[in-house]
Amino acid sequence: MRNLRNVHRSFLESPSGLQLTSSAWDLETNSVICAFGPYKDQALLQLKRWKNSVESPDSVSVADDALTHIASWDALCPIPDLECDEILDLHYFSDTSIVCLVFAGGDIVVVREDPQFGEEKIEIVGSVDAGISAAVWSPEEELLAISTRASTFLYMTRDFENVTDIAFSYDDLKASKHVSVGWGKTETQFKGKRARALRDPTMPEIVDDGTLNEFDKLDTTITWRGDGAYVAVNSIESELRRVIRVYSRDGTLDSASEPVDGLVGALSWRPAGNLLAGIQRLKNHIDVVFFERNGLRHGQFSLRLTEDELTGSAADVSLKWNVDSSVLAVCFKDRVQLWSMGNYHYYLKQEIYPLALASSQKALSLVWHTEKPLRFILSSEEGIQMFEYNSIVCNGSTSPPDDYGIVAVIDGKMLKVTSMRLANVPPPMALHELSLSQNAYDVAVNVVRAKEPVAFIGVLHREGISLYEWALTVKPPTPPSLRWLKKILVEDQTGFMQQQVAFNGEEELVVLGSAVDGSSIRILERESGFIRQEIMFANEKFRGLIAQSTKLPLETCLLLKVASVVSPSRSESNINGLRVVQTLGGFINSSPRVEAVRLQKPRLLLTQEPSHEQDRQDDGLVIFGLADNGILFANERILARNCTSFLVTPAHLIFTTSQHLLKFTHIAKVEELEVPPDTPELDERCRSIERGARLVTVMPSIFALVMQMPRGNIETIYPRALVLAGIRHSINTKRYKRAFLACRSQRVDMNILHDHDPSGFLANIRLFLDQIDKVEHIDLFLSQLREEDVSKSMYKETIGASLLGTEEANPEALSVRIAHGVSKVNSVCNAFLEVLHERTPARFQNIITAHVCKVPPDLDAGLLEIARIREQVPEEADRTVEHICFLADVNRLYDNALGLYDLKLTLLIAQQSQKDPREYLPFLQNLQGMAPLRRQYLIDNHLGRFGKALKHLHDLNVFEEVKNYVPKHNLYEEALELYRYQADRLAEIMRLYADHLHQSSNFKEAGIAYDYLQDYIAASESYRLAHLWKESLACAMFIPLPQSQLHSLAHTLADALLESKDFFSAATIYLDYLSDVPTAARLFCKGYFFADALRTIGLHQRLDLLEPVIDAGLIEGMSSTTELLADCKSQLHAQVPRIIDLRAKKAEDPLSFFDGDINGNADIPDNVSLAPTDASTAGGGSLFTRYTNRTGTVETNATRKTSKNRRREERKRARGKKGSVYEEEYLINSVGRLVQRVNTVSEDVRRLVIGLTRRGMRERARAVESAMANLVHLCRSSVADVFPATSETVGERESARTGPAEQADAKGADRLLRPKGADGVLWDSLEASLGTKAERPLVKGFERLSILAHVN
């Protein structure tokens, strides 16, 4: 689908008296080395360099175009058979500035531009006595392949040393055993059972003998494969036939071609390596034939020549592939044709003529640039031309509504035109094929919308321009018709050539042409073809690019890269509406493919460094350019460095990358253009495409994008970015039907119709229903509603707020609806119901749908609506019942209808279900004959609505049934509410409830219920079982219990409290209920309540207990406390240094730390193999391998995610074994628990110190107090070391997050990053050890007694 457009043409006429004989590229400077002579009348050979000023932007003088002399000498021919010597190969080595010439006479000459001391400027480095028939350097310039006139084949190195000498022989033809399987032959096609007798399809009907053609020049041709691994030689063997021999780089014969009649000397190996192209001359036509490396034929195509041309200009034909194998140049005597292939069809894209038509005996010479695929030089005796082409798609407008996807493909005198919007015809076919009088050069398409859209197609050819008119909406479709033909013949301009054509608005065409003496721009009227204005650029050469603006089709911009501009660096002019921009540098110099777009609020800098502030113009023209090296520009800004093709629409810049991704960039100011990342799974602006796909055209109106695959077939896709952009635009313009149909056809979630603009949608429900008049479509929309806001999740808007012209959305405002508990689905359904109720009865079905689609479904309302319809419009009842049964579960509808106590409606629903009438009819008939309350009770009981059934029993005043019904269905609370004003019945229900609670082991509430009923015996027992000793003893006193039973109960409760270590409560029981003062004092001391123990002894005048109870308790408490404090201190001294040591080792060598070598480098026996095996993979693993066992294989990674491995890893983490990766986390947690333990015992120690001091044990009190103070100080320093102050606590991090949206995003990111299985356990451990989850514990202070203060 691509054409070749000429973007540059330079000329050089041969100096007077000289004839150009050969040329070569200097890749470093992009200049041309020209050789003049020798020829028949002159043996002098002159080497000159042609510097093209367009390739040297720094030059400002036209004189730089003059030829620079390199060297000259007399090239005498040593072979008498030749009239004069001939240059067979001219090659320039840019790295050494050496020109190498290979002559037919046998000499190999090097010319050094800058000879060093002791080197000659011109030197004959080798000679072949028999003469040379062909010579070519390998692509990497390391080997020179030479074919001699003595039928030998030589390899020479860069130092001109002969490394291979091969003699051609007839036995070479036996190198290949050619077996054809008949690919593409009619013999291999199936013709049916009754076809004539089958024959072997691998045996052709006619076998070629390889006979020579009368036009064969008996020459030899050599061509290398693109990678330099093989070389092919086309020569005549034994004067009988032509043979193509293929040799490897070491000189081994690889194959020989099969015999082909009429094969001539032309040969060119496609750099891609799959085909060799040759020429076969037959009686009435000439074919370009292809060979595989094994010598077998592989297809062909015919050159489109007349009978006169077969014997005239086509008497000598040569072939040249360009460097990227995309274009094949066929060189004749008077012209060159450029062919390209797509979908196995060869297109004639360009036909180029020399400066002057002169009689020549050999084909024109063409030399491709080896780095720029579409740049070449065309040489003839009269001079040399430099061409540069661009592979582009000639498509129509991409701006709606004129985006018909018109693509015009040039194929010689045939123009293939297809509108992808009307018919998606795959190439090489087309919707219409236009026959032209001349081979086309360029084509332009423009759609003009008057009454009906009409496409105008301007075709540029050698004689002039033709305009075709195409009515796009005519049924049936008609082909374009010729409107007029305007011949543009310039007799006074030598070498004039049409280059480009474009439409300038709707009424003008712009034609760009060039000649030897300058270039020209012609502006023609569209209606008549009259040349309105002609602009000449005398003696100037420029690179011209015509770019039509995408947003305003009425504007055309001509970008000129001028050879000589003095100042400023950019100049602009406007000629009859044509914007002409001239510039020296920037992206125009390196971007042969450009498109322009105009912004609504523009800002443009066309120059790199404007010399004046007034050069900064806010005219809004943004020019996108794609360089040959894949750099995509927007004016001067680089957007991407791996772009392969691009298109521009009013809303998007669309481009493909070498990573096989399709990207969309929203059109904006140059500095605001945002290129999406390579995340097709997360961003709608990026999606994966087939390898090598290129863009052809885009049709935003139908959301379609057409791409062409490398083979040539096309594919139409509907990218989400285009679809969603169109849907959003339709919603913003309130074209809801268009948006709905787009969602329906492109499978887009219809929630976007509401979520994109909720307030606008709810305010335009009536408009929505007016536009979408089909009931089924409204049902489809309502049925797809859900609570998710798709505009913030799956279809998140990718246009920035600055481009939308709105402020950034407040994250807190986004969740207001959710925070207030308002359901989106219910609000939309309610809004629809308000409008639909005004449009009944046509919208009965939609009303039912709106009720059923609520969350949860409002089936009762839907059924009541059906009941109303049954009364008002009986004929619609059956249809609405069928519809609601389709939307919801019919069994559930049956239950809901039954729950409405409407037996007729229930019967209608049952009839639509699969229920057996023998099941529901007797049941409904039985209900029909009952009293209303009894019927409602049975219905609710049947439906499991026991609370409502209990209420009906209450209304029936059947208390005995209630007493049986309440325990059966656990309806105690409902029964208590119903009988709250009936004391006697309330007591009976409460008794049932209390028994139920006691049986359910809810002893606390059971005791309260019994206490409410004043059943103190049961209440005391329930309180005892609930360990509520105060309530239990109080109820026991209310009974009252006998003294012995009361003491037994008190002993039981006290023992239970001692088991739970509640010493204070147990002591209180012994003191108050058992009058056991010694035991009470002893228990107070055991709980460190020494003040209460002393108070009890004093109150009961038991001073004899001071020493045996109080002092003994103090000494015992001091002993246990001192031991505890010592243990805590030793634990801190052991664990904190270990943590610091682990962290130091981890910071010093993380890889060794996580690989398990925490204890330092140990001695490893040297007789142990450390090679990784299946049994031991730690040596070959990476970070975390030892602890996650992830060796990189799919099986292992899958196994690590199992729950079994996760549990095993959790056990390792819990143990925290020394030397493992979990040790640090274990130690940190241990320190945290120790601090909590110290905070817990701090109050006990304080009471112990006071008690010791009161009993005169001052030194002991000082010792305990000092130990506790030192431990608190040690804990604080340890916490500072283990939990650094820079780490935030969980509460601090949560408070730093502002709003629920940020917290949800953070939690979601953590879930995405955290691995699964055993790896997740390691992840959690690392986070804990780094302090990202653990809070820093707070160490409580310990207040000392002043009377025990130490004097330092």
Side-chain angles (χ1 to χ4, degrees):
M1 307 291 285
R2 291 181 171 269
N3 299 326
L4 297 180
R5 172 176 290 175
N6 182 268
V7 295
H8 172 65
R9 185 188 183 206
S10 299
F11 311 89
L12 176 66
E13 293 181 297
S14 298
S16 178
L18 298 179
Q19 294 181 9
L20 182 67
T21 56
S22 187
S23 57
W25 282 101
D26 178 5
L27 301 180
E28 185 175 353
T29 61
N30 281 322
S31 58
V32 182
I33 307 299
C34 303
F36 298 93
Y39 41 91
K40 181 177 180 182
D41 300 329
Q42 183 176 349
L44 179 64
L45 188 151
Q46 299 185 37
L47 282 181
K48 297 179 180 293
R49 179 187 294 273
W50 176 37
K51 293 183 178 180
N52 188 354
S53 61
V54 176
E55 294 302 323
S56 304
D58 296 333
S59 61
V60 294
S61 175
V62 181
D64 287 340
D65 279 355
L67 291 171
T68 302
H69 182 77
I70 298 177
S72 62
W73 72 95
D74 289 332
L76 301 176
C77 181
I79 299 178
D81 296 343
L82 300 176
E83 293 183 354
C84 65
D85 214 343
E86 179 185 0
I87 301 176
L88 298 179
D89 183 75
L90 172 63
H91 192 85
Y92 184 81
F93 296 97
S94 301
D95 54 346
T96 57
S97 300
I98 293 178
V99 184
C100 178
L101 299 95
V102 181
F103 291 90
D107 291 338
I108 302 174
V109 180
V110 296
V111 179
R112 301 178 178 88
E113 282 195 281
D114 299 317
Q116 302 297 322
F117 179 75
E119 293 182 340
E120 297 181 4
K121 186 176 184 64
I122 304 173
E123 180 182 359
I124 300 177
V125 294
S127 181
V128 178
D129 296 339
I132 300 175
S133 57
V136 175
W137 283 95
S138 63
E140 78 286 355
E141 300 179 340
E142 293 296 333
L143 282 180
L144 174 63
I146 299 175
S147 174
T148 69
R149 298 166 66 89
S151 297
T152 58
F153 188 59
L154 310 176
Y155 281 163
M156 284 191 176
T157 64
R158 182 79 173 264
D159 298 329
F160 302 100
E161 296 180 358
N162 189 9
V163 295
T164 302
D165 191 349
I166 305 168
F168 295 151
S169 67
Y170 192 81
D171 292 337
D172 294 344
L173 304 184
K174 303 176 183 179
S176 297
K177 296 181 180 180
H178 302 121
V179 177
S180 173
V181 295
W183 293 115
K185 300 294 185 180
T186 58
E187 295 86 357
T188 62
Q189 308 305 312
F190 179 71
K191 300 179 181 179
K193 294 181 180 180
R194 300 186 180 275
R196 58 179 180 166
L198 296 177
R199 50 183 297 275
D200 188 356
T202 64
M203 298 299 296
E205 296 181 0
I206 301 175
V207 179
D208 288 354
D209 298 326
T211 57
L212 297 176
N213 189 272
E214 59 180 334
F215 290 95
D216 198 326
K217 294 169 51 181
L218 306 179
D219 56 343
T220 301
T221 306
I222 302 176
T223 179
W224 286 88
R225 200 170 75 171
D227 58 358
Y230 292 92
V231 64
V233 184
N234 185 355
S235 62
I236 296 178
E237 178 59 38
S238 304
E239 299 182 358
L240 297 176
R241 53 163 286 198
R242 276 199 173 270
V243 180
I244 300 176
R245 295 176 172 88
V246 177
Y247 291 92
S248 63
R249 192 175 180 85
D250 58 1
T252 303
L253 179 64
D254 185 73
S255 64
S257 65
E258 62 176 299
V260 177
D261 292 342
L263 187 66
V264 296
L267 185 67
S268 180
W269 202 327
R270 196 166 185 250
N274 57 337
L275 295 174
L276 292 96
I279 294 292
Q280 182 185 19
R281 301 186 65 95
L282 301 175
K283 292 182 179 180
N284 55 359
H285 64 278
I286 297 178
D287 290 344
V288 177
V289 294
F290 299 103
F291 296 87
E292 299 177 11
R293 200 191 80 190
N294 57 15
L296 289 175
R297 286 277 300 273
H298 191 95
Q300 68 280 327
F301 70 92
S302 297
L303 300 176
R304 302 162 190 175
L305 303 172
T306 63
E307 293 183 2
D308 296 335
E309 292 173 340
L310 288 176
T311 58
S313 61
D316 185 17
V317 184
S318 63
L319 302 174
K320 294 288 181 64
W321 283 101
N322 70 333
V323 67
D324 66 352
S325 306
S326 61
V327 178
L328 175 63
V330 182
C331 303
F332 302 96
K333 291 182 179 181
D334 60 346
R335 63 188 182 275
V336 172
Q337 293 181 348
L338 302 181
W339 295 76
S340 67
M341 190 268 287
N343 223 10
Y344 303 104
H345 175 80
Y346 280 85
Y347 298 83
L348 175 56
K349 292 300 182 182
Q350 289 287 333
E351 192 170 58
I352 306 167
Y353 290 86
L355 291 175
L357 295 178
S359 58
S360 177
Q361 298 300 321
K362 61 179 182 179
L364 299 174
S365 174
L366 182 143
V367 181
W368 289 102
H369 198 287
T370 57
E371 293 180 355
K372 300 182 182 298
L374 296 178
R375 180 179 294 184
F376 60 88
I377 50 178
L378 180 62
S379 305
S380 63
E381 295 179 354
E382 292 75 19
I384 187 172
Q385 301 180 76
M386 181 185 298
F387 291 91
E388 184 170 357
Y389 283 83
N390 178 21
S391 177
I392 54 95
V393 177
C394 294
N395 49 20
S397 173
T398 58
S399 300
D402 299 330
D403 51 340
Y404 281 86
I406 299 176
V407 180
V409 181
I410 295 174
D411 189 9
K413 295 182 180 180
M414 185 72 68
L415 184 68
K416 300 176 182 291
V417 182
T418 302
S419 172
M420 296 296 177
R421 188 168 166 182
L422 301 179
N424 202 333
V425 182
M429 298 181 291
L431 182 61
H432 299 295
E433 295 184 349
L434 308 181
S435 297
L436 309 175
S437 59
Q438 297 287 333
N439 291 326
Y441 288 162
D442 195 17
V443 61
V445 180
N446 189 29
V447 177
V448 177
R449 184 174 292 273
K451 294 182 180 179
E452 297 293 337
V454 178
F456 290 94
I457 305 172
V459 184
L460 193 65
H461 45 77
R462 188 181 184 191
E463 294 182 353
I465 183 171
S466 301
L467 185 70
Y468 290 84
E469 183 177 353
W470 184 13
L472 296 172
T473 57
V474 176
K475 301 293 183 181
T478 58
S481 58
L482 181 64
R483 182 76 174 269
W484 48 258
L485 170 62
K486 178 67 176 179
K487 293 187 177 181
I488 303 177
L489 299 176
V490 184
E491 298 180 355
D492 56 344
Q493 286 187 293
T494 305
F496 178 78
M497 173 183 171
Q498 314 282 4
Q499 290 180 283
Q500 299 179 36
V501 62
F503 282 91
N504 184 32
E506 296 183 353
E507 303 298 332
E508 294 179 343
L509 287 93
V510 181
V511 178
L512 178 65
S514 63
V516 174
D517 55 352
S519 302
S520 62
I521 300 174
R522 292 173 174 83
I523 301 178
L524 289 76
E525 293 182 353
R526 191 203 69 192
E527 289 296 326
S528 61
F530 174 73
I531 300 178
R532 178 178 297 177
Q533 190 167 4
E534 185 172 354
I535 309 154
M536 302 300 296
F537 294 85
N539 298 323
E540 286 193 3
K541 302 168 186 176
F542 55 81
R543 187 185 307 275
L545 303 165
I546 299 179
Q548 288 182 274
S549 175
T550 300
K551 204 151 194 175
L552 293 180
L554 301 181
E555 183 180 42
T556 297
C557 179
L558 176 64
L559 308 177
L560 303 179
K561 197 276 180 181
V562 186
S564 57
V565 177
V566 179
S567 66
S569 60
R570 183 201 68 186
S571 61
E572 301 182 13
S573 59
N574 192 289
I575 305 171
N576 285 357
L578 174 66
R579 181 187 180 92
V580 180
V581 181
Q582 299 179 358
T583 181
L584 264 179
F587 69 98
I588 299 177
N589 184 33
S590 58
S591 301
R593 283 166 278 187
V594 296
E595 288 194 28
V597 66
R598 177 172 290 283
L599 304 178
Q600 297 291 351
K601 297 179 180 179
R603 180 170 182 82
L604 170 70
L605 300 178
L606 268 181
T607 58
Q608 288 180 331
E609 296 180 356
S611 55
H612 304 286
E613 186 65 27
Q614 57 267 24
D615 288 336
R616 302 176 180 265
Q617 300 185 4
D618 290 348
D619 56 2
L621 187 65
V622 179
I623 302 175
F624 298 99
L626 176 60
D628 289 332
N629 57 3
I631 298 179
L632 180 63
F633 293 91
N635 291 351
E636 307 294 341
R637 179 187 170 189
I638 296 177
L639 297 180
R641 296 184 179 274
N642 57 352
C643 180
T644 56
S645 63
F646 77 100
L647 288 171
V648 177
T649 71
H652 294 97
L653 163 67
I654 311 170
F655 64 95
T656 57
T657 69
S658 56
Q659 277 75 33
H660 323 301
L661 296 175
L662 176 66
K663 294 190 176 184
F664 292 80
T665 299
H666 297 289
I667 296 297
K669 299 178 183 179
V670 175
E671 62 274 11
E672 295 178 355
L673 290 171
E674 181 183 359
V675 178
D678 297 346
T679 54
E681 66 280 357
L682 300 177
D683 198 331
E684 70 180 38
R685 298 171 297 169
C686 181
R687 66 166 286 174
S688 299
I689 56 176
E690 186 176 335
R691 179 184 296 271
R694 303 290 182 90
L695 300 178
V696 175
T697 188
V698 59
M699 294 162 281
S701 295
I702 60 173
F703 326 120
L705 181 69
V706 182
M707 300 184 298
Q708 189 170 25
M709 304 302 112
R711 193 192 70 174
N713 57 307
I714 61 173
E715 179 180 343
T716 302
I717 63 174
Y718 298 86
R720 271 289 182 259
L722 281 182
V723 174
L724 294 177
I727 292 173
R728 293 180 184 121
H729 178 71
S730 299
I731 295 173
N732 293 334
T733 56
K734 296 180 174 57
R735 292 186 293 176
Y736 292 109
K737 183 175 182 179
R738 174 179 171 83
F740 173 83
L741 294 177
C743 292
R744 185 168 178 252
S745 61
Q746 299 300 328
R747 301 184 66 83
V748 175
D749 195 317
M750 292 188 182
N751 283 271
I752 194 174
L753 298 175
H754 168 271
D755 296 341
H756 179 68
D757 184 12
S759 59
F761 180 83
L762 294 176
N764 292 278
I765 296 293
R766 286 182 173 82
L767 178 61
F768 184 89
L769 292 171
D770 291 338
Q771 293 182 5
I772 305 176
D773 53 352
K774 288 190 176 182
V775 175
E776 296 79 6
H777 288 174
I778 300 298
D779 286 347
L780 179 62
F781 169 73
L782 292 174
S783 63
Q784 291 194 7
L785 288 174
R786 65 178 190 273
E787 295 298 334
E788 179 186 0
D789 188 348
V790 297
S791 65
K792 301 297 183 295
S793 56
M794 60 192 307
Y795 302 138
K796 185 177 181 180
E797 179 62 80
T798 54
I799 303 180
S802 59
L803 303 184
L804 290 172
T806 59
E807 297 181 357
E808 290 288 346
N810 186 358
E812 296 181 359
L814 297 177
S815 57
V816 169
R817 174 167 49 83
I818 300 175
H820 289 281
V822 180
S823 170
K824 178 191 83 173
V825 177
N826 292 349
S827 62
V828 174
C829 290
N830 290 332
F832 269 86
L833 287 171
E834 292 179 6
V835 181
L836 291 172
H837 279 301
E838 302 172 0
R839 306 189 180 195
T840 54
R843 297 289 184 171
F844 279 144
Q845 182 172 317
N846 294 148
I847 293 174
I848 300 300
T849 305
H851 284 299
V852 176
C853 290
K854 289 183 179 180
V855 180
D858 194 355
L859 299 181
D860 290 346
L863 292 171
L864 291 175
E865 200 71 43
I866 293 176
R868 184 176 61 85
I869 295 171
R870 186 187 61 197
E871 297 176 358
Q872 298 178 357
V873 190
E875 60 274 9
E876 293 288 333
D878 291 339
R879 189 170 62 86
T880 53
V881 168
E882 291 179 3
H883 181 63
I884 197 172
C885 291
F886 170 75
L887 294 177
D889 182 15
V890 67
N891 295 319
R892 186 177 176 189
L893 288 171
Y894 175 83
D895 293 341
N896 282 78
L898 190 62
L900 295 175
Y901 315 120
D902 190 339
L903 299 183
K904 293 183 179 180
L905 180 61
T906 305
L907 182 60
L908 287 176
I909 298 296
Q911 290 173 349
Q912 296 295 328
S913 68
Q914 301 296 324
K915 291 180 178 293
D916 188 352
R918 292 175 297 181
E919 296 179 2
Y920 64 81
L921 282 179
F923 175 70
L924 296 179
Q925 291 172 356
N926 183 34
L927 292 175
Q928 185 69 27
M930 295 183 177
L933 284 177
R934 178 60 66 174
R935 180 196 309 140
Q936 293 173 9
Y937 160 72
L938 289 176
I939 289 175
D940 289 329
N941 183 65
H942 172 74
L943 296 177
R945 300 189 296 190
F946 304 117
K948 297 183 69 175
L950 178 64
K951 187 176 184 302
H952 295 314
L953 289 178
H954 174 266
D955 295 338
L956 289 170
N957 196 19
V958 285
F959 187 68
E960 292 300 325
E961 292 187 36
V962 170
K963 289 169 62 177
N964 296 326
Y965 197 76
V966 168
K968 182 177 180 181
H969 298 291
N970 196 15
L971 299 174
Y972 301 101
E973 296 178 6
E974 292 83 352
L976 290 174
E977 181 66 21
L978 290 174
Y979 292 99
R980 64 184 181 276
Y981 299 123
Q982 301 177 31
D984 53 345
R985 295 185 175 181
L986 179 63
E988 293 187 45
I989 299 296
M990 184 66 75
R991 170 69 65 178
L992 294 174
Y993 194 18
D995 295 340
H996 169 73
L997 292 173
H998 189 82
Q999 294 172 3
S1000 302
S1001 299
N1002 190 351
F1003 301 114
K1004 178 180 178 181
E1005 293 195 15
I1008 296 174
Y1010 286 126
D1011 209 347
Y1012 171 82
L1013 297 172
Q1014 297 182 358
D1015 185 355
Y1016 298 119
I1017 298 176
S1020 177
E1021 180 64 17
S1022 297
Y1023 285 138
R1024 183 188 67 79
L1025 294 174
H1027 303 290
L1028 300 176
W1029 64 274
K1030 295 179 182 179
E1031 291 82 354
S1032 179
L1033 290 173
C1035 290
M1037 298 298 293
F1038 292 157
I1039 297 175
L1041 281 179
Q1043 195 68 21
S1044 59
Q1045 295 182 11
L1046 181 63
H1047 285 182
S1048 177
L1049 176 62
H1051 276 290
T1052 302
L1053 291 173
D1055 292 342
L1057 292 173
L1058 289 176
E1059 290 181 3
S1060 61
K1061 297 187 181 302
D1062 189 356
F1063 301 108
F1064 189 89
S1065 299
T1068 304
I1069 292 176
Y1070 274 102
L1071 184 62
D1072 295 343
Y1073 293 94
L1074 298 177
S1075 301
D1076 189 350
V1077 176
T1079 304
R1082 193 174 291 108
L1083 291 177
F1084 278 129
C1085 292
K1086 196 170 184 179
Y1088 291 86
F1089 298 101
F1090 300 103
D1092 293 279
L1094 291 172
R1095 181 188 64 82
T1096 300
I1097 292 174
L1099 179 63
H1100 295 277
Q1101 295 296 317
R1102 294 296 303 273
L1103 300 181
D1104 58 314
L1105 299 177
L1106 285 176
E1107 291 185 3
V1109 176
I1110 302 299
D1111 293 347
L1114 287 171
I1115 295 172
E1116 182 182 356
M1118 175 188 173
S1119 175
S1120 59
T1121 301
T1122 305
E1123 183 179 356
L1124 173 63
L1125 298 180
D1127 291 341
C1128 293
K1129 187 174 182 180
S1130 62
Q1131 181 180 342
L1132 288 176
H1133 283 305
Q1135 291 182 344
V1136 173
R1138 179 60 177 172
I1139 294 174
I1140 297 174
D1141 183 46
L1142 289 174
R1143 289 177 175 175
K1145 290 181 178 180
K1146 180 170 61 174
E1148 181 181 356
D1149 189 1
L1151 184 61
S1152 176
F1153 179 85
F1154 288 108
D1155 201 36
D1157 188 17
I1158 299 178
N1159 296 320
N1161 296 325
D1163 294 334
I1164 301 176
D1166 55 4
N1167 60 347
V1168 177
S1169 173
L1170 297 180
T1173 64
D1174 292 339
S1176 176
T1177 57
S1182 60
L1183 195 63
F1184 309 146
T1185 300
R1186 175 168 179 173
Y1187 297 100
T1188 63
N1189 206 17
R1190 300 186 66 172
T1191 59
T1193 62
V1194 175
E1195 293 80 8
T1196 305
N1197 291 340
T1199 304
R1200 294 301 298 167
K1201 295 178 182 179
T1202 61
S1203 59
K1204 179 179 178 181
N1205 290 333
R1206 176 178 55 80
R1207 290 192 298 268
R1208 182 188 300 117
E1209 204 72 17
E1210 288 175 348
R1211 289 193 296 269
K1212 291 182 181 179
R1213 180 185 179 188
R1215 286 194 298 267
K1217 183 179 178 181
K1218 185 175 182 180
S1220 69
V1221 75
Y1222 300 115
E1223 181 186 1
E1224 181 183 0
E1225 181 200 9
Y1226 179 83
L1227 294 178
I1228 292 174
N1229 294 336
S1230 178
V1231 172
R1233 292 191 297 269
L1234 185 143
V1235 172
Q1236 294 177 2
R1237 175 64 175 159
V1238 171
N1239 292 336
T1240 303
V1241 303
S1242 176
E1243 184 63 24
D1244 294 343
V1245 174
R1246 185 183 65 81
R1247 293 197 297 267
L1248 175 63
V1249 170
I1250 295 175
L1252 289 171
T1253 306
R1254 291 179 62 184
R1255 291 298 298 154
M1257 305 177 187
R1258 187 172 182 275
E1259 294 302 324
R1260 293 182 179 182
R1262 290 184 61 187
V1264 174
E1265 185 185 56
S1266 178
M1268 184 63 191
N1270 292 337
L1271 181 59
V1272 169
H1273 177 73
L1274 182 60
C1275 287
R1276 287 178 175 173
S1277 62
S1278 300
V1279 166
D1281 293 336
V1282 175
F1283 303 90
T1286 55
S1287 64
E1288 296 179 342
T1289 63
V1290 174
E1292 292 171 347
R1293 291 201 312 274
E1294 293 297 331
S1295 62
R1297 295 173 182 169
T1298 58
E1302 288 78 0
Q1303 296 181 16
D1305 292 342
K1307 293 178 180 178
D1310 292 342
R1311 287 194 299 268
L1312 290 176
L1313 291 176
R1314 185 187 183 277
K1316 297 180 180 179
D1319 297 339
V1321 178
L1322 177 61
W1323 175 281
D1324 296 337
S1325 174
L1326 294 178
E1327 281 194 335
S1329 62
L1330 292 174
T1332 57
K1333 286 189 175 182
E1335 291 190 47
R1336 185 177 184 178
L1338 178 64
V1339 182
K1340 293 183 179 180
F1342 181 74
E1343 184 180 357
R1344 290 192 173 194
L1345 293 178
S1346 60
I1347 62 174
L1348 299 178
H1350 294 265
V1351 180
N1352 295 330

